Amino acid sequence: MESFVNKNSCSIKEISDFNIGHQSDFDAKTGLTVIYFPKGALAGCDISGGGPASRETPLTLPLTAENRINAIVLGGGSAYGLAASDGVMKCLEEKKIGYDTGFSLVPLVCQSDIFDLNYGKPDVRPDAKMGYEACLSALKETSDLQGNVGCGIGATVGKIRGTARGDKSGFGIHAIKTGGLFIAVAVCVNALGDIYSPQGKKIAGLHSLDRKNYEDCLEALCENLTPRDMFTGNTTIGAVITNAEFSKAELTKIASMTRTAYSRCIRPVATMADGDTIYAASTGTIKADINAVGSLAAEVMAQAIENAIVNSKISDEEFLKFCR
């Protein structure tokens, strides 16, 4: 039987509440993605990983002002790549977009980054120039590209024994419409663990030395129970966007409900070696039940995770060429 999510799937180009723009450095294998909200968006956030690289996430906290953010940036380059938001802010300011302080406009931009310095050129990271160009792209139109684009260019998974034992991953999107409600997801999958489809089939992850078979990341993790630093360069970052009206506190709850898709599709997940983060943004005034929206958001996220893997597949020879 066809799932509810598949029956109600739509293209993100059918949704006008946000635009997606990318900048990609195919030589260095890094990039970033800007999600721009023409009318602004209230946002919440769930951070379950132990090592996030983020900027302005307090704008999503229920204890801070109910100001609408202008953009969410998903980037590569780890903490270095957070400089890309400088360019996004400059671009928005030039277009007279931002919070009016009475003295100047201050664009409200949240950002989270993956660690992709273990793939491609580690000394090249997204910067303000790339942020500016990605924002210009998002202002013009929305991109429905997936896989090795934007923030997904340097994304890899299944790295518990090192990047070269893992798989290429990337950027995924998925969206549904039901009645007047839409729920859309954008995600960059860059995980320590193995990746499974929503139906439970392993689709990427830890390989054997000869790369002829898959091994199990959780089993590898439990071979050594001694406390240790397992840093191998991870973090899955994503955003859920809906036109249902919710407060920042409710959106934070929706983000945490969406995290169940991470648990279903990424194993293990939310370790101290990950920086897993999910934003949830509300752009409209549709009245909808938080339980339904949160549950559907998890289903849409699971499909977006699969899309990120399917659309980023490359040959083993090409993959190993850029592993560090």
Side-chain angles (χ1 to χ4, degrees):
M1 181 184 296
E2 190 177 19
S3 71
F4 183 88
V5 166
N6 287 335
K7 283 191 296 185
N8 291 279
S9 295
C10 70
S11 167
I12 61 165
K13 287 184 174 286
E14 298 175 37
I15 302 170
S16 61
D17 291 46
F18 67 93
N19 284 356
I20 294 176
H22 303 287
Q23 268 294 292
S24 308
D25 187 329
F26 294 104
D27 180 50
K29 302 300 178 185
T30 192
L32 75 150
T33 299
V34 173
I35 305 170
Y36 164 62
F37 303 105
K39 297 178 181 177
L42 283 181
C45 186
D46 177 85
I47 300 175
S48 55
S54 59
R55 170 171 167 162
E56 290 281 51
T57 48
L59 291 173
T60 68
L61 296 177
L63 294 177
T64 57
E66 293 277 303
N67 294 324
R68 301 176 77 82
I69 65 171
N70 302 113
I72 293 171
V73 179
L74 306 177
S78 190
Y80 290 108
L82 296 173
S85 277
D86 292 339
V88 176
M89 291 182 68
K90 179 181 178 183
C91 181
L92 292 174
E93 182 186 27
E94 289 178 358
K95 302 297 181 182
K96 305 207 180 303
I97 298 168
Y99 177 74
D100 190 353
T101 66
F103 302 95
S104 64
L105 291 174
V106 179
L108 302 182
V109 179
C110 297
Q111 181 172 352
S112 289
D113 284 354
I114 67 166
F115 185 100
D116 58 2
L117 308 182
N118 54 347
Y119 192 76
K121 297 181 179 179
D123 57 347
V124 179
R125 306 109 182 190
D127 56 15
K129 182 179 179 182
M130 288 185 72
Y132 187 95
E133 295 298 326
C135 187
L136 274 182
S137 297
L139 287 170
K140 292 175 184 175
E141 60 181 350
T142 198
S143 168
D144 59 1
L145 295 176
Q146 300 188 75
N148 298 309
V149 64
C151 59
I153 291 180
T156 51
V157 297
K159 295 169 286 188
I160 197 164
R161 297 195 194 281
T163 310
R165 293 281 294 274
D167 259 332
K168 186 70 185 71
S169 181
F171 175 74
I173 53 177
H174 199 71
I176 64 168
K177 279 186 174 180
T178 175
L181 172 75
F182 79 76
I183 300 171
V185 163
V187 64
C188 183
V189 183
N190 187 64
L192 175 78
D194 298 319
I195 311 299
Y196 293 79
S197 73
Q199 293 74 37
K201 178 184 177 181
K202 186 169 179 176
I203 55 177
L206 174 64
H207 284 264
S208 57
L209 270 173
D210 60 10
R211 297 190 67 83
K212 291 183 178 180
N213 299 291
Y214 278 126
E215 294 185 2
D216 185 83
C217 266
L218 182 58
E219 191 172 308
L221 174 65
C222 295
E223 286 176 357
N224 180 2
L225 299 180
T226 304
R228 63 198 189 279
D229 183 356
M230 294 191 306
F231 180 79
T232 52
N234 312 296
T235 296
T236 296
I237 50 178
V240 177
I241 306 139
T242 180
N243 60 344
E245 184 177 24
F246 294 111
S247 67
K248 292 202 296 184
E250 290 170 324
L251 288 163
T252 299
K253 175 59 177 175
I254 288 170
S256 72
M257 292 176 72
T258 306
R259 193 199 327 147
T260 61
Y262 281 18
S263 300
R264 187 193 318 174
C265 298
I266 307 171
R267 306 175 204 165
V269 72
T271 70
M272 296 302 286
D274 293 291
D276 300 334
T277 301
I278 300 174
Y279 295 94
S282 169
T283 62
T285 58
I286 298 290
K287 302 300 180 185
D289 177 63
I290 187 173
N291 304 293
V293 172
S295 298
L296 283 173
E299 297 296 324
V300 179
M301 174 63 82
Q303 186 58 58
I305 289 172
E306 181 178 33
N307 293 346
I309 298 298
V310 171
N311 287 284
S312 60
K313 289 287 188 181
I314 59 176
S315 69
D316 281 354
E317 182 182 11
E318 183 73 7
F319 172 71
L320 293 172
K321 188 190 308 181
F322 297 100
C323 291
R324 297 288 174 263

